[in-house]
Amino acid sequence: MDLDVATPAIQQFSASSFRYLAFIALWILVWWSATLMEYQPFISLWFPPAGLSMAAFILMGTRAFLPILMASLIVGVWMYSLLDRPIPYPQQIYNSLLLAAAHTISYGIGALYFRQTVGKWNVQQLPQRILYFLIIAMLTTLLAAWLGVGAFVLVGSMDLTQASQSWLNWWIGDLAGAIVLTPFFILALSALWRYDISWLKPTDERRSTERKKGPFWSHKILLILALAGLVIFADSYYNHAAIAYFIFFISIPQMWIVFTERMEQTVLSLALLSVAVAVWFGLYGVNENALTYQFALCVIAANAYFGLAVPSLLNQNRRLHHQTQIDALTHVATRAHFLETATEKLQGQRANDFPLALIVFDLDQFKSINDTHGHLIGDQALIMAAQSIRTHIRNCDLIARFGGDEFLILLPEQSLEQAIKTAERLRQSLPAIPSPKGLIQIKASFGIVEIQPNETIEQALQRADQALLEAKRKGRDQVVSS
């Protein structure tokens, strides 16, 4: 084998091996941190390995299966080595492998399914993606809890009564770890090993400039941590179950971070909050309210993620609203927007007794332009005609594309005589457009009416359209009023 060819392959293998070993070490370290927060045998307030396993499967795909299984197996053997009555080594391996498989298979199923489907969605679907992540996390952690307690029953570490009493707390602990920490570990792993997470980040340039204003992020997170510590201290001091529910109000300052800081800082603040709550929970020993704090972590994180989606929703709504009001080709108003505005203007005209004129015009010989010069030149004729008209009318006037090559113009406070003069000026201002066969002079026919007090917009449009037809019959390129 050529040494030069072999060297890159060896380097790649070494890099992959180091990555997997580093991930296994990280997983074991994260698991160890969870054991410090146990308030029941094998059950912690929140279980960070759940978030790390989900993040790894989402980023690495099936390649995460072996390192997660190995890390879980090592942890299982470690747990058995700490027992007062150690069981035989082969039994330790078997039991640990069963527990490791329960964890790995559960998170592999959920996270790999999310990985396969999330790539099919575009950035505009960020809210749906967040909802989908939360649902997958709930189902995945529920499966992990059931398989986990089932494995403990099989290896003899729990009986059925203990399993029925433990699965709910197990599930909520895993759920808190998965929901709160999965995005954090995705960011951390992508920073270490350069995974593409562009699908995760919402884009909003306006917010990025606004984030520079106001208090520093560190001040905000210190406030959140202080409030969480105060709630847990008060819970321990007064020993009243209702006090624990005040932890849910942390959502308010957390949303302050969501709407003023970058996504990365929001995710980091959630991770820090969860660690602080877990530490203070263990320090003050408020074990009887564990479910309250676990649910609070899940709710606060879910609120924050949906808060991150708000700018995406607003931008999407702006785009949709713009599409309903602005014609995509000519960038003048749409027919629907024109009719809505005209109806409002007509109501104001009747209340204040000022005239309101309406112009309907279309381009002469437009079909011939398309047939002779092509549709691209035809589109250019529509664009330049619309823009020319818009630059020669007042700001209070409104031009819209009615359809095809037909346009509407609304002229508030103009009588029929004034509107005729306006139409003549507009007709004469129409430009010529270049084409491969030379300049093409745009020409148009105009129909004009003054809307009567007892008329609807639709009736006025019908009269103006009849005037336009009359202009066509008279030879085109002229103004006819009705």
Side-chain angles (χ1 to χ4, degrees):
M1 179 183 293
D2 189 349
L3 184 60
D4 292 336
V5 176
T7 300
I10 295 173
Q11 292 176 344
Q12 184 177 5
F13 175 79
S14 300
S16 299
S17 300
F18 174 77
R19 177 180 299 182
Y20 289 146
L21 291 174
F23 176 82
I24 291 172
L26 176 62
W27 200 99
I28 294 172
L29 177 63
V30 169
W31 169 83
W32 176 77
S33 69
T35 62
L36 300 178
M37 312 305 165
E38 285 187 355
Y39 63 97
Q40 289 182 13
F42 313 116
I43 297 177
S44 301
L45 177 72
W46 103 129
F47 193 60
L52 181 55
S53 294
M54 282 204 73
F57 275 117
I58 290 172
L59 290 178
M60 301 166 61
T62 55
R63 291 176 296 172
F65 185 88
L66 184 58
I68 293 176
L69 183 68
M70 289 299 299
S72 304
L73 180 61
I74 293 171
V75 161
V77 174
W78 184 4
M79 290 173 59
Y80 278 111
S81 67
L82 300 177
L83 294 177
D84 294 334
R85 298 178 180 178
I87 62 176
Y89 188 71
Q91 188 67 35
Q92 291 184 29
I93 298 295
Y94 172 79
N95 292 353
S96 300
L97 186 60
L98 190 63
L99 294 169
H103 174 89
T104 307
I105 291 173
S106 301
Y107 287 98
I109 291 174
L112 290 176
Y113 180 71
F114 180 79
R115 172 187 169 91
Q116 291 297 320
T117 55
V118 72
K120 300 177 182 178
W121 295 340
N122 57 43
V123 178
Q124 294 180 357
Q125 293 177 308
L126 184 61
Q128 295 94 317
R129 187 173 299 168
I130 291 171
L131 179 60
Y132 199 64
F133 165 72
L134 295 177
I135 293 173
I136 292 296
M138 290 177 61
L139 296 177
T140 299
T141 52
L142 180 60
L143 177 62
W146 285 344
L147 293 183
V149 296
F152 270 111
V153 171
L154 288 177
V155 302
S157 298
M158 283 185 183
D159 56 32
L160 290 177
T161 301
Q162 291 174 320
S164 64
Q165 295 173 348
S166 301
W167 76 267
L168 179 60
N169 289 358
W170 185 315
W171 174 36
I172 303 302
D174 278 23
L175 182 61
I179 289 180
V180 177
L181 294 177
T182 296
F184 169 77
F185 283 125
I186 287 176
L187 292 176
L189 294 177
S190 66
L192 289 173
W193 294 313
R194 298 181 181 178
Y195 288 105
D196 179 21
I197 57 170
S198 57
W199 54 269
L200 177 68
K201 297 183 178 182
T203 55
D204 189 87
E205 295 180 359
R206 182 182 57 81
R207 290 179 69 219
S208 65
T209 59
E210 293 178 354
R211 291 188 189 102
K212 298 177 182 179
K213 303 176 182 179
F216 292 116
W217 172 78
S218 58
H219 296 173
K220 300 169 189 175
I221 188 59
L222 285 175
L223 173 63
I224 289 177
L225 299 181
L227 291 174
L230 181 63
V231 170
I232 297 176
F233 171 77
D235 182 15
S236 172
Y237 185 80
Y238 292 103
N239 195 25
H240 195 291
I243 294 178
Y245 290 100
F246 280 91
I247 197 69
F248 285 93
F249 287 101
I250 300 297
S251 291
I252 298 175
Q254 179 62 54
M255 294 303 290
W256 183 26
I257 290 181
V258 170
F259 289 116
T260 57
E261 304 293 341
R262 297 194 308 273
M263 183 206 69
E264 292 85 352
Q265 292 171 312
T266 295
V267 170
L268 179 58
S269 67
L270 289 171
L272 292 175
L273 173 63
S274 67
V275 171
V277 169
V279 169
W280 285 322
F281 175 87
L283 180 64
Y284 290 108
V286 286
N287 296 352
E288 63 277 6
N289 294 322
L291 278 177
T292 301
Y293 292 108
Q294 289 172 324
F295 273 116
L297 289 175
C298 296
V299 170
I300 292 170
N303 286 343
Y305 300 148
F306 280 114
L308 288 171
V310 168
S312 175
L313 284 173
L314 292 176
N315 286 337
Q316 186 174 356
N317 288 338
R318 289 191 192 102
R319 286 192 294 269
L320 292 174
H321 185 63
H322 185 270
Q323 291 173 5
T324 63
Q325 290 191 330
I326 305 299
D327 179 66
L329 177 64
T330 60
H331 299 291
V332 297
T334 60
R335 173 179 178 173
H337 180 54
F338 181 91
L339 293 176
E340 180 182 354
T341 303
T343 301
E344 295 174 357
K345 292 286 187 181
L346 183 57
Q347 293 173 351
Q349 178 261 349
R350 288 170 178 165
N352 297 283
D353 194 26
F354 59 78
L356 186 65
L358 176 66
I359 298 176
V360 177
F361 76 93
D362 68 3
L363 305 190
D364 294 334
Q365 305 293 342
F366 181 69
K367 184 177 183 302
S368 177
I369 294 176
N370 278 333
D371 293 343
T372 304
H373 304 281
H375 288 280
L376 291 179
I377 298 298
D379 288 347
Q380 191 65 24
L382 291 174
I383 294 170
M384 293 190 67
Q387 296 306 315
S388 173
I389 295 294
R390 190 163 67 172
T391 58
H392 287 87
I393 58 178
R394 303 167 301 172
N395 291 334
C396 63
D397 300 332
L398 178 64
I399 177 174
R401 186 182 180 192
F402 193 70
D405 64 325
E406 190 170 0
F407 294 84
L408 306 172
I409 306 174
L410 190 67
L411 303 173
E413 301 186 39
Q414 281 204 6
S415 64
L416 184 60
E417 292 76 14
Q418 292 171 317
I420 292 173
K421 294 179 181 178
T422 299
E424 285 288 355
R425 178 169 49 85
L426 297 176
R427 184 183 66 83
Q428 296 172 14
S429 68
L430 289 172
I433 62 171
S435 76
K437 298 180 180 180
L439 291 177
I440 304 171
Q441 178 61 49
I442 300 175
K443 296 181 180 181
S445 301
F446 293 76
I448 308 171
V449 298
E450 181 179 335
I451 303 177
Q452 300 302 310
N454 59 347
E455 247 184 343
T456 64
I457 291 298
E458 289 75 14
Q459 291 170 336
L461 276 173
Q462 187 174 4
R463 286 201 301 124
D465 199 51
Q466 291 298 320
L468 173 62
L469 292 175
E470 182 66 22
K472 295 288 188 182
R473 282 193 293 266
K474 289 183 176 182
R476 299 185 177 89
D477 190 23
Q478 55 186 286
V479 175
V480 172
S481 62
S482 172

